[in-house]
Amino acid sequence: MTVDNYTSIWTSVLKSLSKQVKKTDFLVWFQDTNILDLNNESVVVGVPSIFAKDWFEKKYRSIIESELKNEGYDKSLTFQIDTSLKAEAKGVDVKNFLDSSKRRSRKINNRNEVSYKFDSGKSTEANTIVSKMLNPKYQLSNFVVGSSSRLAFAACQAVAQKPGNAYNPLFIYGDVGLGKTHLLQATGNSVLKNFDDAVVVYLTAEKFTNEIVEAIKKNNVRGFRAKYRKVDCLVIDDIQFLAGKGRTQEEFFHTFNELYHENKQIIISSDKPPQDLEGVEDRLVSRFEMGMIVDVTFPDYETCLAILMAKSQELQFMISSEVLEFIALNINSSIRELEGILTQIIAQSRLEGAPPSIESVSRTLKKLGKLLPNHSSHSGGYNDNPDMNSSNSNNNSVLMPSTVIEKVASFFNLTKFDLIGTRRTRDIMIPRQICIYILRNHFNLSFEKIGSEFGGRNHTTIMHACQKMEKGLKNDSKLNNLINSVRQNLNL
Ligand code: ADP
Ligand code: MG
């Protein structure tokens, strides 16, 4: 059999798998994989890293075996690391399976610089448009989508496919470190990929301002205007920087209008929604409001975990899922921070020559002042000290979901297994619901996560339990008292 045969068999296996595996997981794990060998006895599937190999062994072995069987290859399966799959693009590109819309895949030869020169006239600084700032590391394909960014991501995809057409302007806002720059640059990169001859310019509002100041100084405002009006897709990051800068706003207003009327795409990011941009002229604010306004917020626990997995795979570093969960539970302000912590943990682990453990990571987080105290109302954390008792007021001690379950159980003289089990007597049901309610409301865990802590219950079951508690708390003072005692017992 030839390599092409392998690829075609693997492609049909992947097609079926793409329907069974969560989209983000599929993109993260199945990219750059392929069949390396297939003979009478065995199938060898190549994966790009040791991290992926471990993951495949643990999570995907059985579904791959069964899909291979469906294809007529009921053989023993082994996984083998082959870095050339990625480096030499010998693996299968899985992105095509998830997007059925037409995809024009023109290669842009690692181009990260776009230049435009006037047909006539001298090519001077003023009439040449050059963007050196599109960073190829930002791609839509390596942006992990969660509920907090789904709309923004969908808008970016639509813009990348039909710039100037879908949402114009596209205005993305949110706090720092939540992926705005990533989305902006990725959309720019994607427009370039889809439209080879497009002129895409990314710049921060600060750089835009500096260029105007420079143009005014050199008495070349006309050159500046002419230059930006040749752009097909103008991407301006951190527009809030224009606050209070009247002259820059005026220039931007004219540029905006011209591009807008020519159906050229404008993408803007900001740390706040348009109406809250103080010091920005109303006429600009109303222009921003003409298109699509979407926000990005801090992702839920599952997305944080998916981001951590994707990043550790990118860095080719193996970290156990417990440790990744621990990080995801304890960081709740920005994705940049999540990345920073991960990098630090990897560096430390390499230095010490030992794999990261919950203990070592919690030490690092404590040092950085990042470990969430257990009375935090935002998210839960782990308690790596099982002896911690309820009178312990150490702010650095944090609770792990399973510890919360144990403590609630013992408060009611039950065992953890009573709570996570399926018995439905009232003396167990109420404590179970209280525990679920606390995990949801004090630790901000998702319904899915709580479901998995409670013996793999469905998220709707968990949601109902929470709703029931909320209803009960409105008019049942006994229940209120009971929950308060449990909270006290947990130091919440
Ligand atoms: P912002 O511009 O909102 O301050 P950035 O776009 O600079 O944030 O994001 C900070 C870091 O987090 C970047 O390295 C970016 O690649 C990464 N990042 C943010 N959101 C995601 C995501 N959803 N998936 C993958 N990486 C992300
Ligand atoms: Mg940014």
Side-chain angles (χ1 to χ4, degrees), residues 373-376 388-395 397 399 407 442-443 484-492:
N374 64 5
H375 58 241
S376 158
M388 188 187 84
N389 61 46
S390 57
S391 63
N392 189 333
S393 60
N394 177 359
N395 274 355
S397 308
L399 292 172
K407 281 175 167 261
H442 283 275
F443 294 87
N484 283 338
S485 316
V486 178
R487 281 195 191 119
Q488 261 172 17
N489 187 262
L490 289 165
N491 269 355
L492 294 173

Side-chain angles (χ1 to χ4, degrees), residues 86-252:
K86 189 179 166 104
E88 293 162 36
K90 288 183 186 160
V92 174
D93 186 359
V94 297
K95 284 181 245 39
N96 302 325
F97 300 133
L98 295 170
D99 194 356
S100 52
S101 61
K102 270 185 272 148
R103 179 180 289 273
R104 290 205 271 156
S105 55
R106 250 182 269 165
K107 284 251 154 62
I108 58 161
N109 305 332
N110 287 333
R111 179 178 61 177
N112 61 4
E113 179 173 312
V114 186
S115 68
Y116 177 86
K117 289 187 176 62
F118 278 72
D119 293 337
S120 57
K122 289 178 292 181
S123 170
T124 65
E125 169 69 13
N127 63 14
T128 304
I129 193 115
V130 178
S131 171
K132 290 192 177 118
M133 298 192 57
L134 275 173
N135 185 336
K137 91 169 189 186
Y138 297 117
Q139 298 292 338
L140 289 176
S141 56
N142 65 9
F143 187 85
V144 180
V145 189
S147 52
S148 58
S149 58
R150 197 172 308 280
L151 192 59
F153 183 78
C156 289
Q157 273 185 319
V159 163
Q161 263 154 31
K162 286 189 168 185
N165 217 317
Y167 302 115
N168 208 13
L170 172 60
F171 189 101
I172 302 178
Y173 73 91
D175 287 338
V176 293
L178 295 181
K180 300 184 296 298
T181 298
H182 187 132
L183 281 173
L184 257 57
Q185 294 232 12
T187 310
N189 279 322
S190 202
V191 168
L192 274 177
K193 234 179 262 173
N194 293 337
F195 304 91
D196 226 8
D197 47 2
V199 177
V200 178
V201 168
Y202 165 92
L203 74 174
T204 59
E206 185 181 10
K207 179 140 194 287
F208 189 82
T209 306
N210 293 343
E211 284 200 17
I212 288 175
V213 171
E214 198 60 21
I216 295 172
K217 240 185 357 203
K218 290 191 178 150
N219 212 358
N220 190 16
V221 175
R222 279 186 55 201
F224 172 86
R225 285 180 192 163
K227 184 170 93 169
Y228 279 98
R229 274 148 221 184
K230 298 291 170 190
V231 172
D232 297 306
C233 176
L234 180 63
V235 187
I236 305 270
D237 207 351
D238 293 320
I239 199 84
Q240 71 276 4
F241 186 83
L242 293 194
K245 301 192 172 60
R247 183 64 209 274
T248 311
Q249 287 184 31
E250 190 179 335
E251 279 310 321
F252 184 62

